[in-house]
Amino acid sequence: MSRDPLEPLVDLPGVRDAAESARDALGAVHRHPVNLRGWDKTSRESSWRGGRSSAAMEGATTELNREHDFDDPVMAGAIRVAQALDPDSLDKEVAVFRRAPAQSLAHLHTLAAADLVDDPERLGRPGSDPHIGPRLDLLVQLITTEHPNVPAPVVAAVVHGELLALRPFDQGNGVVARAVSRLVCASSGLDPHLLGVPEVTWLRHLADYQEKSLNFATGDPEALGDWIVFCCRALEAGATEAASIADAARA
């Protein structure tokens, strides 16, 4: 049997410890008294904060109009994606993601880019570049394959980085990539209720996020490790954000 291609990544400097810290932090916040009973409310707030932060990373504005809707098309799309990952829809989205990741990607892109593309036929459809199809196929295989010896935070970081590097769609790739990272966390059991809000940290350190994701795309082992550790630390910080949400709900 061939070795899991992700396994060597776990041995890169700092990766194993960062992944364990992220897992422990998210596990602890799921045991928060509020989240034991009212996780649906805190998860919804997490999705909302994550969506807003994800859109802001793309330069979107957060201003609401008189109808309490977002005028910014990127923000509007990110909020639609966030709603697809809130407690009312998450189980269905995870089920599709596990069974047919390409279908889930298409759905997320349709939500994210509905107000961004001129031709609705482009929604959910990858670009025509000949390298996109084969790489998406590999990514789908990566998502649907079990990785028993690879911590879930590592898988989430790799899938996230691959989508940012590939940019399979004409618009909305960043929002989709971060949403897919969330789905990996949910479907793997790392963050089953999506309580964490890593997007807040990625937004705060946007220059590092952009630089490290570009370096990840080179395939250099040091760059791969840096990106994975960076993502794991954001997941850990996202658990702290989740704890503050739960504390506020208890107050």
Side-chain angles (χ1 to χ4, degrees):
M1 180 181 296
S2 60
R3 188 185 186 192
D4 186 335
L6 297 188
E7 283 189 32
L9 300 178
V10 183
D11 295 323
L12 292 172
V15 167
R16 191 181 301 274
D17 288 344
E20 290 180 359
S21 293
R23 182 192 62 198
D24 291 346
L26 286 165
V29 83
H30 276 78
R31 296 190 294 273
H32 190 290
V34 169
N35 290 329
L36 292 175
R37 301 184 303 274
W39 60 264
D40 57 328
K41 297 181 180 63
T42 52
S43 175
R44 188 169 286 107
E45 176 63 21
S46 166
S47 294
W48 174 257
R49 291 190 191 186
R52 285 169 62 98
S53 297
S54 185
M57 291 173 70
E58 303 298 318
T61 64
T62 61
E63 295 180 2
L64 289 165
N65 59 31
R66 292 182 180 178
E67 286 74 36
H68 299 286
D69 293 323
F70 289 105
D71 287 325
D72 190 298
V74 175
M75 183 63 70
I79 294 303
R80 285 192 292 268
V81 170
Q83 290 170 337
L85 302 183
D86 75 11
D88 294 332
S89 308
L90 181 59
D91 287 348
K92 178 181 178 180
E93 200 67 42
V94 166
V96 174
F97 183 70
R98 285 173 173 162
R99 183 183 70 252
Q103 181 180 338
S104 183
L105 275 169
H107 177 228
L108 292 173
H109 180 254
T110 298
L111 295 174
D115 303 322
L116 297 173
V117 300
D118 295 329
D119 181 5
E121 293 295 320
R122 298 305 306 154
L123 291 173
R125 294 179 179 273
S128 57
D129 225 320
H131 74 284
I132 291 178
R135 285 185 62 182
L136 268 182
D137 289 342
L138 288 174
L139 187 61
V140 166
Q141 184 178 351
L142 180 74
I143 293 169
T144 54
T145 299
E146 296 291 332
H147 304 280
N149 299 317
V150 181
V154 176
V155 180
V158 171
V159 172
H160 183 174
E162 284 290 329
L163 279 171
L164 290 177
L166 181 57
R167 300 187 65 80
F169 303 108
D170 295 337
Q171 299 280 349
N173 289 291
V175 169
V176 170
R178 290 181 286 275
V180 171
S181 174
R182 274 183 167 259
L183 280 172
V184 173
C185 291
S187 63
S188 65
L190 172 67
D191 188 3
H193 298 318
L194 291 185
L195 302 177
V197 199
E199 296 89 349
V200 170
T201 296
W202 289 325
L203 176 59
R204 287 173 181 161
H205 301 279
L206 184 56
D208 285 340
Y209 176 92
Q210 293 168 338
E211 179 183 3
K212 291 180 186 298
S213 65
L214 287 173
N215 291 340
F216 172 90
T218 69
D220 175 75
E222 182 177 351
L224 295 177
D226 283 348
W227 169 255
I228 294 169
V229 169
F230 180 72
C231 287
C232 288
R233 288 175 177 165
L235 289 173
E236 184 177 359
T240 301
E241 184 81 8
S244 72
I245 292 172
D247 288 341
R250 181 168 55 183

